[in-house]
Amino acid sequence: MLKKYDLYEFKDYYPSELSGGMRQRVALIRTLILNPDLLLLDEPFSSLDYQTKIKVQEDMYKIIKEEKKTAILVTHDISEAISMADRIIVLTKRPTSIKNVYSIDLGIENGIGTEEQEKEVTKIEESMINDYIEQRRTFVINNTNLKLKYRQN
C-alpha cells in the first residue's frame, strides 16, 4: 500500500520525520491494512495548514473511494463536508430528530468550478449555517462511501 500511495520511499522514516500530510496518509493506510468495514476519522485535517489540508483531503477522499470504504469523519468545516458528501442531514436539539436533508452532488471528483456549482455550494452553505445557528446542534453528513459528521464547537 505504501507503493500504491507514493509513500514507499519513506518506509524507514519515523513519524516525526514526516510532514503532517504524510503522517495523515500513513495513519489512513495503517488503518486500511486491517481491512475494516468502517473508518472513523476524528478531525483528521485540523492540524494541517490550508494548502496541505486541501491536498490531504483530496488524497484521503481518493483513497477511501479506491478502497471502497465507508468513513465517519468528524469535522467543524461546512465547506469540507459539502465537498466530500453525497447527503447532509441536519439534526434538531434533543430529543434529536431530522430537521433538514441536503442532497449534495459536488464531491471532489466532480470538482467545483462552474458558475452553477458555485451558486449551489453557496446556497447549501447559507442554508446549513442558518440551520446551525437556529439549532446549535450536530450536522451528520452521509456519503455512500464516506460519512461525515459536523458537530457544535
PDB file of all heavy atoms in Angstrom, residues 86-120:
ATOM      1  N   ASP A  86     -22.354  13.160  -0.079  1.00  0.00           N
ATOM      2  CA  ASP A  86     -23.478  12.997  -1.005  1.00  0.00           C
ATOM      3  C   ASP A  86     -24.756  13.590  -0.429  1.00  0.00           C
ATOM      4  O   ASP A  86     -25.640  14.013  -1.159  1.00  0.00           O
ATOM      5  CB  ASP A  86     -23.762  11.524  -1.281  1.00  0.00           C
ATOM      6  CG  ASP A  86     -22.695  10.857  -2.104  1.00  0.00           C
ATOM      7  OD1 ASP A  86     -22.074  11.525  -2.944  1.00  0.00           O
ATOM      8  OD2 ASP A  86     -22.485   9.667  -1.875  1.00  0.00           O
ATOM      9  N   ARG A  87     -24.840  13.547   0.895  1.00  0.00           N
ATOM     10  CA  ARG A  87     -26.052  13.983   1.569  1.00  0.00           C
ATOM     11  C   ARG A  87     -25.673  14.507   2.943  1.00  0.00           C
ATOM     12  O   ARG A  87     -24.821  13.946   3.609  1.00  0.00           O
ATOM     13  CB  ARG A  87     -26.990  12.783   1.712  1.00  0.00           C
ATOM     14  CG  ARG A  87     -28.338  13.086   2.215  1.00  0.00           C
ATOM     15  CD  ARG A  87     -29.232  11.865   2.152  1.00  0.00           C
ATOM     16  NE  ARG A  87     -28.451  10.640   2.136  1.00  0.00           N
ATOM     17  CZ  ARG A  87     -28.847   9.497   2.641  1.00  0.00           C
ATOM     18  NH1 ARG A  87     -30.033   9.389   3.159  1.00  0.00           N
ATOM     19  NH2 ARG A  87     -28.079   8.436   2.602  1.00  0.00           N
ATOM     20  N   ILE A  88     -26.319  15.583   3.332  1.00  0.00           N
ATOM     21  CA  ILE A  88     -26.079  16.160   4.653  1.00  0.00           C
ATOM     22  C   ILE A  88     -27.398  16.135   5.408  1.00  0.00           C
ATOM     23  O   ILE A  88     -28.418  16.587   4.900  1.00  0.00           O
ATOM     24  CB  ILE A  88     -25.551  17.600   4.552  1.00  0.00           C
ATOM     25  CG1 ILE A  88     -24.239  17.610   3.774  1.00  0.00           C
ATOM     26  CG2 ILE A  88     -25.390  18.222   5.941  1.00  0.00           C
ATOM     27  CD1 ILE A  88     -23.746  18.990   3.423  1.00  0.00           C
ATOM     28  N   ILE A  89     -27.340  15.627   6.623  1.00  0.00           N
ATOM     29  CA  ILE A  89     -28.533  15.529   7.455  1.00  0.00           C
ATOM     30  C   ILE A  89     -28.329  16.434   8.667  1.00  0.00           C
ATOM     31  O   ILE A  89     -27.360  16.278   9.399  1.00  0.00           O
ATOM     32  CB  ILE A  89     -28.788  14.073   7.902  1.00  0.00           C
ATOM     33  CG1 ILE A  89     -28.959  13.182   6.674  1.00  0.00           C
ATOM     34  CG2 ILE A  89     -29.999  14.004   8.824  1.00  0.00           C
ATOM     35  CD1 ILE A  89     -28.968  11.707   6.985  1.00  0.00           C
ATOM     36  N   VAL A  90     -29.240  17.380   8.854  1.00  0.00           N
ATOM     37  CA  VAL A  90     -29.169  18.312   9.982  1.00  0.00           C
ATOM     38  C   VAL A  90     -30.132  17.815  11.052  1.00  0.00           C
ATOM     39  O   VAL A  90     -31.297  17.555  10.766  1.00  0.00           O
ATOM     40  CB  VAL A  90     -29.555  19.741   9.543  1.00  0.00           C
ATOM     41  CG1 VAL A  90     -29.483  20.693  10.731  1.00  0.00           C
ATOM     42  CG2 VAL A  90     -28.657  20.213   8.407  1.00  0.00           C
ATOM     43  N   LEU A  91     -29.628  17.710  12.270  1.00  0.00           N
ATOM     44  CA  LEU A  91     -30.443  17.230  13.379  1.00  0.00           C
ATOM     45  C   LEU A  91     -30.896  18.383  14.257  1.00  0.00           C
ATOM     46  O   LEU A  91     -30.217  19.407  14.359  1.00  0.00           O
ATOM     47  CB  LEU A  91     -29.648  16.234  14.220  1.00  0.00           C
ATOM     48  CG  LEU A  91     -29.107  15.011  13.472  1.00  0.00           C
ATOM     49  CD1 LEU A  91     -28.289  14.141  14.421  1.00  0.00           C
ATOM     50  CD2 LEU A  91     -30.223  14.223  12.839  1.00  0.00           C
ATOM     51  N   THR A  92     -32.040  18.205  14.935  1.00  0.00           N
ATOM     52  CA  THR A  92     -32.570  19.208  15.861  1.00  0.00           C
ATOM     53  C   THR A  92     -31.963  19.004  17.240  1.00  0.00           C
ATOM     54  O   THR A  92     -31.218  18.053  17.483  1.00  0.00           O
ATOM     55  CB  THR A  92     -34.094  19.085  15.974  1.00  0.00           C
ATOM     56  OG1 THR A  92     -34.398  17.809  16.553  1.00  0.00           O
ATOM     57  CG2 THR A  92     -34.780  19.243  14.634  1.00  0.00           C
ATOM     58  N   LYS A  93     -32.378  19.880  18.166  1.00  0.00           N
ATOM     59  CA  LYS A  93     -31.994  19.712  19.562  1.00  0.00           C
ATOM     60  C   LYS A  93     -32.660  18.456  20.114  1.00  0.00           C
ATOM     61  O   LYS A  93     -33.571  17.906  19.512  1.00  0.00           O
ATOM     62  CB  LYS A  93     -32.447  20.927  20.376  1.00  0.00           C
ATOM     63  CG  LYS A  93     -31.744  22.205  19.988  1.00  0.00           C
ATOM     64  CD  LYS A  93     -32.277  23.367  20.826  1.00  0.00           C
ATOM     65  CE  LYS A  93     -31.611  24.651  20.383  1.00  0.00           C
ATOM     66  NZ  LYS A  93     -32.120  25.796  21.134  1.00  0.00           N
ATOM     67  N   ARG A  94     -32.228  18.062  21.302  1.00  0.00           N
ATOM     68  CA  ARG A  94     -32.812  16.878  21.949  1.00  0.00           C
ATOM     69  C   ARG A  94     -34.271  17.110  22.270  1.00  0.00           C
ATOM     70  O   ARG A  94     -34.627  18.203  22.683  1.00  0.00           O
ATOM     71  CB  ARG A  94     -32.046  16.553  23.226  1.00  0.00           C
ATOM     72  CG  ARG A  94     -30.696  15.995  22.930  1.00  0.00           C
ATOM     73  CD  ARG A  94     -30.011  15.532  24.199  1.00  0.00           C
ATOM     74  NE  ARG A  94     -28.669  15.098  23.857  1.00  0.00           N
ATOM     75  CZ  ARG A  94     -27.600  15.403  24.540  1.00  0.00           C
ATOM     76  NH1 ARG A  94     -27.684  16.130  25.616  1.00  0.00           N
ATOM     77  NH2 ARG A  94     -26.432  14.976  24.165  1.00  0.00           N
ATOM     78  N   PRO A  95     -35.096  16.124  22.132  1.00  0.00           N
ATOM     79  CA  PRO A  95     -34.776  14.828  21.541  1.00  0.00           C
ATOM     80  C   PRO A  95     -34.501  15.003  20.049  1.00  0.00           C
ATOM     81  O   PRO A  95     -35.242  15.682  19.346  1.00  0.00           O
ATOM     82  CB  PRO A  95     -36.017  13.975  21.785  1.00  0.00           C
ATOM     83  CG  PRO A  95     -37.131  14.958  21.926  1.00  0.00           C
ATOM     84  CD  PRO A  95     -36.518  16.219  22.485  1.00  0.00           C
ATOM     85  N   THR A  96     -33.448  14.395  19.608  1.00  0.00           N
ATOM     86  CA  THR A  96     -32.971  14.593  18.247  1.00  0.00           C
ATOM     87  C   THR A  96     -33.918  14.008  17.213  1.00  0.00           C
ATOM     88  O   THR A  96     -34.412  12.895  17.350  1.00  0.00           O
ATOM     89  CB  THR A  96     -31.582  13.948  18.083  1.00  0.00           C
ATOM     90  OG1 THR A  96     -30.699  14.560  19.024  1.00  0.00           O
ATOM     91  CG2 THR A  96     -31.039  14.139  16.694  1.00  0.00           C
ATOM     92  N   SER A  97     -34.156  14.810  16.187  1.00  0.00           N
ATOM     93  CA  SER A  97     -34.874  14.339  15.008  1.00  0.00           C
ATOM     94  C   SER A  97     -34.239  15.032  13.800  1.00  0.00           C
ATOM     95  O   SER A  97     -33.447  15.956  13.942  1.00  0.00           O
ATOM     96  CB  SER A  97     -36.369  14.668  15.103  1.00  0.00           C
ATOM     97  OG  SER A  97     -36.554  16.068  15.148  1.00  0.00           O
ATOM     98  N   ILE A  98     -34.591  14.577  12.622  1.00  0.00           N
ATOM     99  CA  ILE A  98     -34.021  15.159  11.410  1.00  0.00           C
ATOM    100  C   ILE A  98     -34.735  16.465  11.101  1.00  0.00           C
ATOM    101  O   ILE A  98     -35.943  16.504  10.983  1.00  0.00           O
ATOM    102  CB  ILE A  98     -34.135  14.176  10.227  1.00  0.00           C
ATOM    103  CG1 ILE A  98     -33.275  12.942  10.508  1.00  0.00           C
ATOM    104  CG2 ILE A  98     -33.709  14.851   8.925  1.00  0.00           C
ATOM    105  CD1 ILE A  98     -33.420  11.841   9.483  1.00  0.00           C
ATOM    106  N   LYS A  99     -33.977  17.550  11.001  1.00  0.00           N
ATOM    107  CA  LYS A  99     -34.523  18.858  10.681  1.00  0.00           C
ATOM    108  C   LYS A  99     -34.495  19.108   9.177  1.00  0.00           C
ATOM    109  O   LYS A  99     -35.430  19.623   8.601  1.00  0.00           O
ATOM    110  CB  LYS A  99     -33.764  19.969  11.382  1.00  0.00           C
ATOM    111  CG  LYS A  99     -34.316  21.355  11.045  1.00  0.00           C
ATOM    112  CD  LYS A  99     -33.510  22.448  11.674  1.00  0.00           C
ATOM    113  CE  LYS A  99     -34.084  23.819  11.514  1.00  0.00           C
ATOM    114  NZ  LYS A  99     -34.893  24.110  10.372  1.00  0.00           N
ATOM    115  N   ASN A 100     -33.371  18.753   8.545  1.00  0.00           N
ATOM    116  CA  ASN A 100     -33.189  19.035   7.133  1.00  0.00           C
ATOM    117  C   ASN A 100     -32.276  17.993   6.505  1.00  0.00           C
ATOM    118  O   ASN A 100     -31.375  17.483   7.174  1.00  0.00           O
ATOM    119  CB  ASN A 100     -32.551  20.413   6.951  1.00  0.00           C
ATOM    120  CG  ASN A 100     -33.375  21.333   6.111  1.00  0.00           C
ATOM    121  OD1 ASN A 100     -34.081  20.891   5.224  1.00  0.00           O
ATOM    122  ND2 ASN A 100     -33.263  22.615   6.387  1.00  0.00           N
ATOM    123  N   VAL A 101     -32.494  17.724   5.234  1.00  0.00           N
ATOM    124  CA  VAL A 101     -31.618  16.835   4.473  1.00  0.00           C
ATOM    125  C   VAL A 101     -31.222  17.574   3.205  1.00  0.00           C
ATOM    126  O   VAL A 101     -32.084  18.086   2.486  1.00  0.00           O
ATOM    127  CB  VAL A 101     -32.321  15.506   4.111  1.00  0.00           C
ATOM    128  CG1 VAL A 101     -31.399  14.631   3.271  1.00  0.00           C
ATOM    129  CG2 VAL A 101     -32.767  14.776   5.367  1.00  0.00           C
ATOM    130  N   TYR A 102     -29.931  17.649   2.965  1.00  0.00           N
ATOM    131  CA  TYR A 102     -29.410  18.294   1.767  1.00  0.00           C
ATOM    132  C   TYR A 102     -28.760  17.230   0.888  1.00  0.00           C
ATOM    133  O   TYR A 102     -27.879  16.511   1.343  1.00  0.00           O
ATOM    134  CB  TYR A 102     -28.352  19.343   2.119  1.00  0.00           C
ATOM    135  CG  TYR A 102     -28.878  20.459   2.969  1.00  0.00           C
ATOM    136  CD1 TYR A 102     -28.782  20.413   4.357  1.00  0.00           C
ATOM    137  CD2 TYR A 102     -29.469  21.568   2.390  1.00  0.00           C
ATOM    138  CE1 TYR A 102     -29.261  21.450   5.142  1.00  0.00           C
ATOM    139  CE2 TYR A 102     -29.957  22.603   3.164  1.00  0.00           C
ATOM    140  CZ  TYR A 102     -29.844  22.537   4.536  1.00  0.00           C
ATOM    141  OH  TYR A 102     -30.327  23.558   5.314  1.00  0.00           O
ATOM    142  N   SER A 103     -29.189  17.137  -0.340  1.00  0.00           N
ATOM    143  CA  SER A 103     -28.538  16.243  -1.297  1.00  0.00           C
ATOM    144  C   SER A 103     -27.398  17.012  -1.935  1.00  0.00           C
ATOM    145  O   SER A 103     -27.561  18.147  -2.373  1.00  0.00           O
ATOM    146  CB  SER A 103     -29.527  15.793  -2.369  1.00  0.00           C
ATOM    147  OG  SER A 103     -30.504  14.978  -1.785  1.00  0.00           O
ATOM    148  N   ILE A 104     -26.249  16.373  -1.980  1.00  0.00           N
ATOM    149  CA  ILE A 104     -25.046  17.008  -2.497  1.00  0.00           C
ATOM    150  C   ILE A 104     -24.522  16.188  -3.674  1.00  0.00           C
ATOM    151  O   ILE A 104     -24.364  14.982  -3.560  1.00  0.00           O
ATOM    152  CB  ILE A 104     -23.937  17.081  -1.417  1.00  0.00           C
ATOM    153  CG1 ILE A 104     -24.455  17.683  -0.129  1.00  0.00           C
ATOM    154  CG2 ILE A 104     -22.707  17.800  -1.939  1.00  0.00           C
ATOM    155  CD1 ILE A 104     -24.830  19.127  -0.202  1.00  0.00           C
ATOM    156  N   ASP A 105     -24.229  16.854  -4.775  1.00  0.00           N
ATOM    157  CA  ASP A 105     -23.609  16.192  -5.922  1.00  0.00           C
ATOM    158  C   ASP A 105     -22.411  17.012  -6.362  1.00  0.00           C
ATOM    159  O   ASP A 105     -22.266  17.368  -7.513  1.00  0.00           O
ATOM    160  CB  ASP A 105     -24.614  16.047  -7.070  1.00  0.00           C
ATOM    161  CG  ASP A 105     -24.084  15.173  -8.193  1.00  0.00           C
ATOM    162  OD1 ASP A 105     -23.130  14.404  -7.941  1.00  0.00           O
ATOM    163  OD2 ASP A 105     -24.599  15.275  -9.311  1.00  0.00           O
ATOM    164  N   LEU A 106     -21.566  17.345  -5.390  1.00  0.00           N
ATOM    165  CA  LEU A 106     -20.423  18.204  -5.667  1.00  0.00           C
ATOM    166  C   LEU A 106     -19.156  17.645  -5.045  1.00  0.00           C
ATOM    167  O   LEU A 106     -18.310  18.392  -4.587  1.00  0.00           O
ATOM    168  CB  LEU A 106     -20.680  19.613  -5.106  1.00  0.00           C
ATOM    169  CG  LEU A 106     -21.913  20.325  -5.626  1.00  0.00           C
ATOM    170  CD1 LEU A 106     -22.206  21.564  -4.799  1.00  0.00           C
ATOM    171  CD2 LEU A 106     -21.738  20.692  -7.085  1.00  0.00           C
ATOM    172  N   GLY A 107     -19.004  16.319  -5.014  1.00  0.00           N
ATOM    173  CA  GLY A 107     -17.823  15.708  -4.428  1.00  0.00           C
ATOM    174  C   GLY A 107     -16.561  16.138  -5.134  1.00  0.00           C
ATOM    175  O   GLY A 107     -16.592  16.700  -6.224  1.00  0.00           O
ATOM    176  N   ILE A 108     -15.443  15.874  -4.518  1.00  0.00           N
ATOM    177  CA  ILE A 108     -14.148  16.284  -5.055  1.00  0.00           C
ATOM    178  C   ILE A 108     -13.956  15.792  -6.477  1.00  0.00           C
ATOM    179  O   ILE A 108     -13.445  16.505  -7.321  1.00  0.00           O
ATOM    180  CB  ILE A 108     -13.008  15.803  -4.135  1.00  0.00           C
ATOM    181  CG1 ILE A 108     -13.015  16.609  -2.843  1.00  0.00           C
ATOM    182  CG2 ILE A 108     -11.653  15.928  -4.824  1.00  0.00           C
ATOM    183  CD1 ILE A 108     -12.066  16.115  -1.791  1.00  0.00           C
ATOM    184  N   GLU A 109     -14.397  14.570  -6.781  1.00  0.00           N
ATOM    185  CA  GLU A 109     -14.171  14.045  -8.136  1.00  0.00           C
ATOM    186  C   GLU A 109     -14.949  14.824  -9.187  1.00  0.00           C
ATOM    187  O   GLU A 109     -14.586  14.841 -10.344  1.00  0.00           O
ATOM    188  CB  GLU A 109     -14.471  12.542  -8.240  1.00  0.00           C
ATOM    189  CG  GLU A 109     -15.938  12.167  -8.277  1.00  0.00           C
ATOM    190  CD  GLU A 109     -16.585  12.033  -6.907  1.00  0.00           C
ATOM    191  OE1 GLU A 109     -15.916  12.267  -5.904  1.00  0.00           O
ATOM    192  OE2 GLU A 109     -17.777  11.687  -6.849  1.00  0.00           O
ATOM    193  N   ASN A 110     -16.029  15.502  -8.786  1.00  0.00           N
ATOM    194  CA  ASN A 110     -16.784  16.322  -9.727  1.00  0.00           C
ATOM    195  C   ASN A 110     -16.177  17.707  -9.875  1.00  0.00           C
ATOM    196  O   ASN A 110     -16.452  18.406 -10.835  1.00  0.00           O
ATOM    197  CB  ASN A 110     -18.243  16.483  -9.258  1.00  0.00           C
ATOM    198  CG  ASN A 110     -18.964  15.161  -9.239  1.00  0.00           C
ATOM    199  OD1 ASN A 110     -18.691  14.281 -10.034  1.00  0.00           O
ATOM    200  ND2 ASN A 110     -19.871  15.008  -8.298  1.00  0.00           N
ATOM    201  N   GLY A 111     -15.386  18.115  -8.910  1.00  0.00           N
ATOM    202  CA  GLY A 111     -14.795  19.447  -8.936  1.00  0.00           C
ATOM    203  C   GLY A 111     -15.842  20.518  -8.667  1.00  0.00           C
ATOM    204  O   GLY A 111     -17.035  20.259  -8.697  1.00  0.00           O
ATOM    205  N   ILE A 112     -15.378  21.681  -8.337  1.00  0.00           N
ATOM    206  CA  ILE A 112     -16.265  22.831  -8.187  1.00  0.00           C
ATOM    207  C   ILE A 112     -15.648  23.924  -9.027  1.00  0.00           C
ATOM    208  O   ILE A 112     -14.493  24.246  -8.886  1.00  0.00           O
ATOM    209  CB  ILE A 112     -16.384  23.276  -6.713  1.00  0.00           C
ATOM    210  CG1 ILE A 112     -17.045  22.175  -5.903  1.00  0.00           C
ATOM    211  CG2 ILE A 112     -17.148  24.576  -6.599  1.00  0.00           C
ATOM    212  CD1 ILE A 112     -17.176  22.471  -4.434  1.00  0.00           C
ATOM    213  N   GLY A 113     -16.393  24.467  -9.929  1.00  0.00           N
ATOM    214  CA  GLY A 113     -15.814  25.465 -10.801  1.00  0.00           C
ATOM    215  C   GLY A 113     -16.836  26.127 -11.690  1.00  0.00           C
ATOM    216  O   GLY A 113     -16.692  27.285 -12.036  1.00  0.00           O
ATOM    217  N   THR A 114     -17.891  25.391 -12.030  1.00  0.00           N
ATOM    218  CA  THR A 114     -18.889  26.021 -12.878  1.00  0.00           C
ATOM    219  C   THR A 114     -19.672  27.024 -12.041  1.00  0.00           C
ATOM    220  O   THR A 114     -19.793  26.900 -10.828  1.00  0.00           O
ATOM    221  CB  THR A 114     -19.867  24.985 -13.469  1.00  0.00           C
ATOM    222  OG1 THR A 114     -20.667  24.448 -12.415  1.00  0.00           O
ATOM    223  CG2 THR A 114     -19.142  23.866 -14.194  1.00  0.00           C
ATOM    224  N   GLU A 115     -20.200  28.011 -12.703  1.00  0.00           N
ATOM    225  CA  GLU A 115     -20.980  29.038 -12.013  1.00  0.00           C
ATOM    226  C   GLU A 115     -22.182  28.398 -11.305  1.00  0.00           C
ATOM    227  O   GLU A 115     -22.519  28.755 -10.174  1.00  0.00           O
ATOM    228  CB  GLU A 115     -21.453  30.086 -13.021  1.00  0.00           C
ATOM    229  CG  GLU A 115     -22.078  31.296 -12.379  1.00  0.00           C
ATOM    230  CD  GLU A 115     -22.422  32.375 -13.403  1.00  0.00           C
ATOM    231  OE1 GLU A 115     -21.680  32.516 -14.386  1.00  0.00           O
ATOM    232  OE2 GLU A 115     -23.436  33.047 -13.194  1.00  0.00           O
ATOM    233  N   GLU A 116     -22.794  27.434 -11.952  1.00  0.00           N
ATOM    234  CA  GLU A 116     -23.954  26.751 -11.366  1.00  0.00           C
ATOM    235  C   GLU A 116     -23.552  26.002 -10.091  1.00  0.00           C
ATOM    236  O   GLU A 116     -24.261  26.053  -9.084  1.00  0.00           O
ATOM    237  CB  GLU A 116     -24.539  25.776 -12.389  1.00  0.00           C
ATOM    238  CG  GLU A 116     -25.797  25.080 -11.914  1.00  0.00           C
ATOM    239  CD  GLU A 116     -26.368  24.156 -12.986  1.00  0.00           C
ATOM    240  OE1 GLU A 116     -26.480  24.575 -14.147  1.00  0.00           O
ATOM    241  OE2 GLU A 116     -26.688  23.009 -12.629  1.00  0.00           O
ATOM    242  N   GLN A 117     -22.414  25.303 -10.130  1.00  0.00           N
ATOM    243  CA  GLN A 117     -21.948  24.580  -8.950  1.00  0.00           C
ATOM    244  C   GLN A 117     -21.623  25.543  -7.810  1.00  0.00           C
ATOM    245  O   GLN A 117     -21.951  25.277  -6.656  1.00  0.00           O
ATOM    246  CB  GLN A 117     -20.711  23.742  -9.286  1.00  0.00           C
ATOM    247  CG  GLN A 117     -21.013  22.515 -10.114  1.00  0.00           C
ATOM    248  CD  GLN A 117     -19.752  21.790 -10.520  1.00  0.00           C
ATOM    249  OE1 GLN A 117     -18.765  22.404 -10.888  1.00  0.00           O
ATOM    250  NE2 GLN A 117     -19.800  20.476 -10.459  1.00  0.00           N
ATOM    251  N   GLU A 118     -20.961  26.642  -8.140  1.00  0.00           N
ATOM    252  CA  GLU A 118     -20.611  27.615  -7.107  1.00  0.00           C
ATOM    253  C   GLU A 118     -21.854  28.216  -6.457  1.00  0.00           C
ATOM    254  O   GLU A 118     -21.900  28.405  -5.241  1.00  0.00           O
ATOM    255  CB  GLU A 118     -19.715  28.702  -7.698  1.00  0.00           C
ATOM    256  CG  GLU A 118     -18.326  28.190  -8.027  1.00  0.00           C
ATOM    257  CD  GLU A 118     -17.449  29.221  -8.710  1.00  0.00           C
ATOM    258  OE1 GLU A 118     -17.819  30.413  -8.735  1.00  0.00           O
ATOM    259  OE2 GLU A 118     -16.387  28.827  -9.212  1.00  0.00           O
ATOM    260  N   LYS A 119     -22.887  28.488  -7.246  1.00  0.00           N
ATOM    261  CA  LYS A 119     -24.145  29.008  -6.698  1.00  0.00           C
ATOM    262  C   LYS A 119     -24.796  27.971  -5.786  1.00  0.00           C
ATOM    263  O   LYS A 119     -25.321  28.308  -4.722  1.00  0.00           O
ATOM    264  CB  LYS A 119     -25.106  29.389  -7.827  1.00  0.00           C
ATOM    265  CG  LYS A 119     -24.735  30.674  -8.534  1.00  0.00           C
ATOM    266  CD  LYS A 119     -25.714  30.982  -9.656  1.00  0.00           C
ATOM    267  CE  LYS A 119     -25.314  32.233 -10.415  1.00  0.00           C
ATOM    268  NZ  LYS A 119     -26.203  32.504 -11.548  1.00  0.00           N
ATOM    269  N   GLU A 120     -24.765  26.719  -6.204  1.00  0.00           N
ATOM    270  CA  GLU A 120     -25.359  25.645  -5.398  1.00  0.00           C
ATOM    271  C   GLU A 120     -24.625  25.492  -4.071  1.00  0.00           C
ATOM    272  O   GLU A 120     -25.245  25.344  -3.017  1.00  0.00           O
ATOM    273  CB  GLU A 120     -25.356  24.327  -6.177  1.00  0.00           C
ATOM    274  CG  GLU A 120     -26.036  23.177  -5.462  1.00  0.00           C
ATOM    275  CD  GLU A 120     -27.528  23.378  -5.222  1.00  0.00           C
ATOM    276  OE1 GLU A 120     -28.167  24.210  -5.902  1.00  0.00           O
ATOM    277  OE2 GLU A 120     -28.072  22.688  -4.344  1.00  0.00           O
TER     278      GLU A 120
END
